[in-house]
Amino acid sequence: MSAVDINSRDDLRELYRELILDHARSPRHFGKLDDATHTAEGINPLCGDKLRLYLRLDEENRIDAATFEGSGCAISVASASVMTDTVIGLDVSVALEYFRAVTRRLTDPGQDHGDNLDLEKIMAFDGVHEFPSRIKCATLAWHALNCAIHEQTKPASTE
Ligand code: ZN
């Protein structure tokens, strides 16, 4: 991406659109994780997005694997792909910091968000703020992450 000269908001938007489409077309970490230690379902009835998230935590409470399966709109799939990419290798406490920062950022982009976190890829989803119904598509996977870590048995729902 460094070869691209980002000098206008439109260029940025185009890059972000590309990132979302790329992750939606070829989601990372897609599939079932047979030795998952934590799992949660996410449902966004407004859009019809559905996913199941699988996490494998090691003895030190680090996420050493994360996968998801399911179906939904491009934003929900891309967001789940970026989310799994982001949290693999993180301590669960840091992953939860990301959850809080991302959900804050996507619901209220005017605020300051997660100083020590790398939110560069998450910024690709900032545009959803202009379409409030899509915010739930973008945050669904993150809510599932929160549920899986807390081992809630009820499905994560955006409603
Ligand atoms: Zn959706």
Side-chain angles (χ1 to χ4, degrees), residues 58-79:
D58 68 15
E59 324 68 68
E60 273 139 20
N61 259 353
R62 246 170 44 114
I63 298 171
D64 75 354
T67 70
F68 72 100
E69 58 184 5
S71 60
C73 66
I75 289 174
S76 72
V77 173
S79 177

Side-chain angles (χ1 to χ4, degrees), residues 40-41 147 151-157:
E41 194 178 12
C147 279
E151 293 184 284
Q152 291 175 10
T153 46
K154 238 177 69 179
S157 174

Side-chain angles (χ1 to χ4, degrees), residues 9-105:
R9 209 179 146 79
D10 285 347
D11 286 346
L12 257 185
R13 274 179 182 247
E14 185 57 28
L15 271 181
Y16 286 161
R17 209 175 66 90
E18 285 300 318
L19 184 143
I20 289 174
L21 287 177
D22 176 43
H23 277 267
R25 281 191 201 115
S26 24
R28 304 346 177 228
H29 318 292
F30 190 84
K32 194 175 178 209
L33 187 64
D34 285 326
D35 55 353
T37 57
H38 293 62
T39 176
E41 194 178 12
I43 297 166
N44 176 15
L46 275 186
C47 181
D49 309 318
K50 255 183 162 178
L51 65 89
R52 176 159 286 278
L53 174 69
Y54 302 93
L55 301 176
R56 188 176 66 227
L57 270 52
D58 68 15
E59 324 68 68
E60 273 139 20
N61 259 353
R62 246 170 44 114
I63 298 171
D64 75 354
T67 70
F68 72 100
E69 58 184 5
S71 60
C73 66
I75 289 174
S76 72
V77 173
S79 177
S81 175
V82 168
M83 185 277 286
T84 47
D85 240 5
T86 303
V87 301
I88 291 171
L90 296 182
D91 189 274
V92 288
S93 62
V94 180
L96 287 173
E97 277 181 48
Y98 270 95
F99 160 71
R100 286 188 289 268
V102 170
T103 47
R104 269 203 311 271
R105 180 179 183 103

Side-chain angles (χ1 to χ4, degrees), residues 1-2 6 12 15-17 19-20 23 82 86 98 101-102 105-106 113-127 142:
M1 279 220 218
S2 56
I6 304 168
L12 257 185
L15 271 181
Y16 286 161
R17 209 175 66 90
L19 184 143
I20 289 174
H23 277 267
V82 168
T86 303
Y98 270 95
V102 170
R105 180 179 183 103
L106 293 180
H113 307 281
D115 298 337
N116 306 313
L117 307 176
D118 176 10
L119 295 176
E120 203 186 313
K121 280 186 191 158
I122 313 300
M123 283 162 58
F125 297 90
D126 282 2
W142 291 94

